Amino acid sequence: MVNEKYTKISQDLGVTFKQIETVLSLTAEGNTIPFIARYRKEATGNLDEVVIKSIIDQEKSLTALEDRKKTVLAKIAEQGKLTTELEATILAAEKLADVEELYLPYKEKRRTKATIAKEAGLLPLARLIIQDHPALLQEAANFVTQGFDTPQACLAGAVDILVEALSEDSKLRSWTYHEIRHHSTLCSQLKDAEADDKHVYQIYYDFSEKVEKMQGYRVLAINRGEKQGVLKVYFEHHLDKMLRFYQLRFPKLNPYIEEVVQQALKKKILPAMERRVRTELTEAAEEGAIALFSENLRHLLLVPPLKGKTVLGFDPAFRTGAKLAVVDSTGKLLTTQVIHPVKPASQAQIAQAKESLKAILGQYQVEIIAIGNGTASRESEAFVADILHEVEGVRYVIVSESGASVYSASELARREFPDLTVEKRSAISIARRLQDPLAELVKIDPKSIGVGQYQHDVNQKKLSEGLDFVVDTVVNQVGVNVNTASPALLSHVAGLNKTISENIVQYREENGALRSRAELKKVPRLGEKAFEQAAGFLRIPDAPNFLDNTGVHPESYAAVDQLLSDLSIQQLDKEALQKLKSLPLQETAERLGIGVETLEDIVSDLIKPGRDLRDNFAAPVLRQDVLDFKDLVVGQRLEGVVRNIVDFGAFVDIGIHEDGLIHISNLSQQFVKHPSQVLSVGDLVTVWVYKLDTDREKVNLSLVAPRESD
């Protein structure tokens, strides 16, 4: 028998039945997605984390759809109304909404005007209306009864019966749904100007777009504007076409049939199909927003760490003063201080702040200043840049402080720095997220990191699941130093949870640094399965066995020992690396009893032991001087860092108060479907000033040089 679920998954994802079976079987055995992706490549055919998760998620979704079909079929069969054709149609439905549409006529209903009319015996009169009986009013007099005490009341009841029957016609509803999807227009108008005093929704005050062309970010913007009472949202349909199509359901027309058609369409089917279409537009928009947020987050987490640098975190503020925190190259806090470097501070306070900062820079040999990009950021940047004219060897960088305040007020931060104020913890976080973005950002709810669009308007459960998956994937791809990682970072390692992560840290504190992966088995609650899942992703830089600082899993250590013995390799010198690079992989894998994919990963780890995936990405831009909006001119060339990708473009930090926008139309001379095809968060880019709005101090940038666009 053909497995319809597997067929659907195979078609959608381009995977084989064997790959689907393998993934689901491995998952059922308690294996995590990162473990399957990294250490079971032979079994899965080298599937990555995204495809593996998609297989698991789609199987769950299709199982839920299958279960609902069984329930619906059983309930219709109980009524004795299940035909072979209806059963086939329900079984062929690919959406839950389609199953519910097919089930609608058979659902148990509350008492309606139509059911009351049927109970009063008016169904034969409804049939006479359809037949266009020439003496309907006289015939209706024969149906007068309690509750329907006039011929007109009887005819109205018969119309109610026909309206309900027509409005539950699944083929008619399906046609209307597709008509709206492909030919109707979604519109919005200003409803309450006072609710939008900043004109956030101005472009939607008089907006219309074909439903099939609606872009996700517009859907979410309109939804938000409607929810806030700013906008009125409605559809425009080809009503005449719809009415004609409905009328074709009847052999003859009369005023009663026309009333039935009007009511069924306008009061029943259209509102229901409009709700369905808007729900589907919203769901698609949410999926797109979550996917974009996830991709932005992935690139942000993969920004390379600035290793071996002493960093001063600078959390700017106007009235309360800037909070400073110096951390050494390992992230250990050295000192904190508060200075008042910008107005409304007095000249004396600003002068004192200057001396204090210079003293800290010299005393702790600070190499980089990380300035948060919040309130008073650019004023603080000017202050720092002025000082760096007098201090050799120090650079600064603007760091996104999104989420820093969330972390600094969290229970995690309170446990880490119980004696410090929230603001000083925030300065530490800013410094550390420059040193090791991944290790610091995992302490923050991903939704607070600020690299998405409309993140508060999407399904929060789906958003959290999507972002958590990204964090887990990146953490395991990069690997974690088990002797320095926080519980927050460790908890994202495959096989580990909050309790085991805290137990690892406690074990470290009581017994000193772990010397081998095998020692992990001594950690309370870290059993065999957890060890199997986690071991390959945990690193021990100074372990006696160098393999403990690689991505090689302990289950492959014997194969590596055999390989090194066969090649007479005592140490990984230049000659050894050449031997490894020239290995006949297929033949060697068969001799060692492992798969070719596993051997490829082993060789890669031996060639570059302790490598960091993030080294392949661009490092942060370090500055020494400040740029002001008034310094900009159209056509000017600048260097910047991509801070955020949205559906309509990319925001780039070029060193002024607010990030500049590269609209999607200025990303390339070629057509660009989505900005993520061209740029990613964290990219270093060369841009040109395209347009300046001096009133609002907004800058539009272009990725295309002026001479190229002429």
Side-chain angles (χ1 to χ4, degrees):
M1 182 179 172
V2 176
N3 188 319
E4 293 181 1
K5 284 193 293 185
Y6 284 16
T7 300
K8 173 69 172 164
I9 295 170
S10 176
Q11 290 172 346
D12 288 354
L13 302 179
V15 292
T16 66
F17 276 31
K18 184 176 185 300
Q19 287 175 309
I20 298 166
E21 288 171 353
T22 301
V23 166
L24 296 177
S25 175
L26 287 169
T27 304
E29 292 167 8
N31 294 293
T32 61
I33 292 174
F35 178 82
I36 296 170
R38 178 66 171 81
Y39 298 112
R40 293 296 179 262
K41 290 182 177 179
E42 286 83 14
T44 68
N46 212 10
L47 297 180
D48 65 22
E49 292 90 344
V50 173
V51 177
I52 292 169
K53 184 175 187 296
S54 296
I55 290 172
I56 296 167
D57 289 347
Q58 196 161 348
E59 196 276 336
K60 285 181 184 175
S61 176
L62 290 173
T63 298
L65 178 62
E66 200 174 74
D67 291 344
R68 183 56 181 161
K69 288 179 182 179
K70 289 177 183 175
T71 301
V72 165
L73 289 169
K75 289 193 174 183
I76 298 174
E78 284 173 10
Q79 300 172 29
K81 297 178 181 178
L82 184 61
T83 64
T84 304
E85 182 186 2
L86 178 58
E87 181 178 17
T89 305
I90 290 173
L91 289 174
E94 294 187 355
K95 294 180 183 177
L96 198 56
D98 290 332
V99 175
E100 299 303 335
E101 283 290 320
L102 292 165
Y103 180 44
L104 181 65
Y106 309 96
K107 253 183 179 176
E108 288 186 22
K109 303 179 183 70
R110 58 180 175 80
R111 278 168 58 81
T112 63
K113 289 195 293 184
T115 54
I116 294 169
K118 286 178 186 175
E119 290 167 0
L122 297 179
L123 188 56
L125 182 58
R127 293 194 183 102
L128 292 177
I129 291 175
I130 294 174
Q131 294 163 8
D132 194 25
H133 192 284
L136 279 173
L137 197 57
Q138 292 92 320
E139 288 293 329
N142 298 325
F143 292 89
V144 171
T145 184
Q146 186 177 359
F148 297 91
D149 50 8
T150 66
Q152 289 81 2
C154 292
L155 285 168
V159 166
D160 288 335
I161 292 172
L162 293 175
V163 168
E164 183 170 278
L166 192 64
S167 67
E168 291 181 350
D169 185 314
S170 58
K171 290 181 180 177
L172 202 55
R173 293 172 72 92
S174 176
W175 180 87
T176 308
Y177 163 74
H178 288 288
E179 174 67 19
I180 295 172
R181 290 286 313 192
H182 298 295
H183 301 292
S184 292
T185 301
L186 186 64
C187 309
S188 62
Q189 284 183 344
L190 179 63
K191 179 181 177 182
D192 183 358
E194 292 182 2
D196 190 26
D197 56 342
K198 294 183 179 178
H199 304 292
V200 173
Y201 301 100
Q202 189 168 8
I203 63 172
Y204 300 108
Y205 288 176
D206 185 17
F207 171 83
S208 64
E209 183 76 86
K210 288 285 288 289
V211 169
E212 63 181 357
K213 293 183 178 179
M214 279 296 295
Q215 294 175 292
Y217 70 93
R218 293 196 184 280
V219 172
L220 296 176
I222 286 172
N223 287 355
R224 184 194 285 181
E226 181 182 40
K227 188 176 180 181
Q228 293 178 358
V230 177
L231 303 174
K232 174 189 174 185
V233 183
Y234 59 96
F235 286 88
E236 286 183 350
H237 307 290
H238 297 286
L239 273 175
D240 290 345
K241 175 184 176 183
M242 290 180 171
L243 288 168
R244 285 196 302 272
F245 186 83
Y246 277 45
Q247 289 166 354
L248 290 173
R249 307 290 288 193
F250 299 93
K252 295 181 180 180
L253 288 181
N254 58 49
Y256 297 104
I257 293 296
E258 289 176 0
E259 176 65 19
V260 167
V261 167
Q262 288 276 352
Q263 285 195 38
L265 175 62
K266 294 182 179 179
K267 293 186 177 180
K268 301 286 187 178
I269 297 183
L270 266 185
M273 294 304 103
E274 286 178 351
R275 285 193 298 272
R276 179 177 174 184
V277 167
R278 286 200 66 187
T279 296
E280 290 180 349
L281 286 174
T282 298
E283 287 174 350
E286 288 182 349
E287 284 180 17
I290 291 170
L292 181 58
F293 198 153
S294 298
E295 185 64 10
N296 287 344
L297 177 62
R298 188 178 77 85
H299 284 281
L300 183 63
L301 294 175
L302 285 169
V303 170
L306 281 177
K307 297 173 182 174
K309 303 289 185 183
T310 299
V311 177
L312 182 144
F314 193 116
D315 185 12
F318 285 116
R319 185 178 54 80
T320 57
K323 270 60 68 175
L324 311 181
V326 179
V327 296
D328 70 10
S329 58
T330 67
K332 178 183 176 184
L333 177 64
L334 299 178
T335 189
T336 64
Q337 193 170 338
V338 178
I339 62 174
H340 294 267
V342 298
K343 293 179 179 179
S346 66
Q347 286 300 321
Q349 287 177 308
I350 294 173
Q352 179 58 52
K354 184 176 181 180
E355 295 307 314
S356 297
L357 181 56
K358 286 165 66 176
I360 290 174
L361 296 178
Q363 181 179 351
Y364 294 97
Q365 296 185 305
V366 171
E367 297 160 271
I368 300 167
I369 301 173
I371 305 173
N373 68 342
T375 305
S377 172
R378 296 307 175 183
E379 292 81 0
S380 298
E381 180 188 8
F383 170 81
V384 168
D386 184 51
I387 288 176
L388 295 190
H389 292 148
E390 306 172 25
V391 179
E392 289 290 327
V394 182
R395 298 288 185 272
Y396 76 84
V397 61
I398 302 295
V399 174
S400 170
E401 61 180 54
S402 295
S405 59
V406 175
Y407 158 74
S408 58
S410 68
E411 178 61 32
L412 180 62
R414 284 195 293 273
R415 285 204 308 268
E416 200 171 0
F417 302 107
D419 300 325
L420 295 181
T421 63
V422 168
E423 294 80 11
K424 287 182 178 179
R425 292 179 199 146
S426 183
I428 298 167
S429 178
I430 290 168
R432 284 180 169 178
R433 69 169 62 185
L434 179 65
Q435 288 184 316
D436 193 340
L438 178 59
E440 197 61 25
L441 290 172
V442 295
K443 299 176 183 177
I444 300 166
D445 179 351
K447 295 195 294 290
S448 301
I449 292 176
V451 287
Q453 61 177 6
Y454 298 104
Q455 59 259 43
H456 302 296
D457 301 304
V458 304
N459 183 300
Q460 294 300 295
K461 183 173 182 289
K462 287 183 179 178
L463 178 61
S464 294
E465 288 173 353
L467 299 183
D468 286 344
F469 171 70
V470 171
V471 175
D472 290 347
T473 300
V474 172
V475 167
N476 288 285
Q477 286 177 341
V478 170
V480 172
N481 183 335
V482 73
N483 285 321
T484 60
S486 66
L489 183 55
L490 286 167
S491 67
H492 288 283
V493 173
L496 303 186
N497 56 30
K498 184 173 180 288
T499 300
I500 298 175
S501 300
E502 289 174 349
N503 288 348
I504 290 174
V505 174
Q506 187 175 346
Y507 180 90
R508 250 168 29 197
E509 291 170 351
E510 294 173 357
N511 301 281
L514 284 84
R515 297 286 292 152
S516 70
R517 282 172 169 164
E519 192 179 349
L520 283 162
K521 295 179 180 180
K522 296 180 181 179
V523 174
R525 305 285 294 275
L526 202 159
E528 284 296 328
K529 193 64 179 179
F531 178 81
E532 176 196 47
Q533 299 297 303
F537 303 113
L538 296 171
R539 307 282 189 267
I540 304 176
D542 301 319
N545 184 347
F546 80 97
L547 293 177
D548 285 348
N549 191 37
T550 69
V552 178
H553 196 281
E555 65 187 11
S556 298
Y557 281 11
V560 175
D561 291 341
Q562 183 64 49
L563 174 64
L564 297 179
S565 175
D566 291 350
L567 297 176
S568 301
I569 293 176
Q570 302 295 325
Q571 58 183 10
L572 294 173
D573 53 20
K574 190 174 181 181
E575 182 184 350
L577 297 183
Q578 193 55 48
K579 287 181 181 178
L580 289 168
K581 288 177 182 177
S582 57
L583 265 183
L585 292 174
Q586 186 69 47
E587 176 190 322
T588 306
E590 288 175 4
R591 188 175 74 253
L592 295 173
I594 59 176
V596 173
E597 290 91 344
T598 295
L599 180 58
E600 286 177 336
D601 286 341
I602 287 171
V603 169
S604 179
D605 274 307
L606 293 177
I607 289 173
K608 288 186 177 179
R611 64 182 174 161
D612 192 324
L613 168 69
R614 295 170 293 177
D615 291 341
N616 298 328
F617 294 81
V621 173
L622 301 179
R623 305 182 188 278
Q624 201 171 11
D625 214 339
V626 71
L627 183 68
D628 194 83
F629 182 86
K630 64 178 181 292
D631 299 326
L632 301 178
V633 292
V634 172
Q636 183 177 0
R637 173 177 166 162
L638 300 164
E639 303 298 317
V641 182
V642 178
R643 291 294 187 201
N644 198 9
I645 300 286
V646 291
D647 286 337
F648 52 84
F651 288 96
V652 179
D653 177 4
I654 54 171
I656 62 170
H657 190 71
E658 288 191 31
D659 295 339
L661 171 66
I662 310 178
H663 189 267
I664 190 169
S665 59
N666 290 323
L667 287 171
S668 171
Q669 289 184 303
Q670 310 301 318
F671 172 74
V672 176
K673 187 174 182 181
H674 194 274
S676 59
Q677 296 174 310
V678 180
L679 295 173
S680 301
V681 169
D683 282 355
L684 304 184
V685 290
T686 299
V687 294
W688 286 264
V689 177
Y690 180 73
K691 187 168 67 175
L692 295 169
D693 181 341
T694 52
D695 291 336
R696 297 189 298 165
E697 292 200 350
K698 300 281 187 184
V699 55
N700 282 66
L701 305 169
S702 175
L703 212 57
V704 181
R707 62 181 179 279
E708 294 175 7
S709 59
D710 291 341

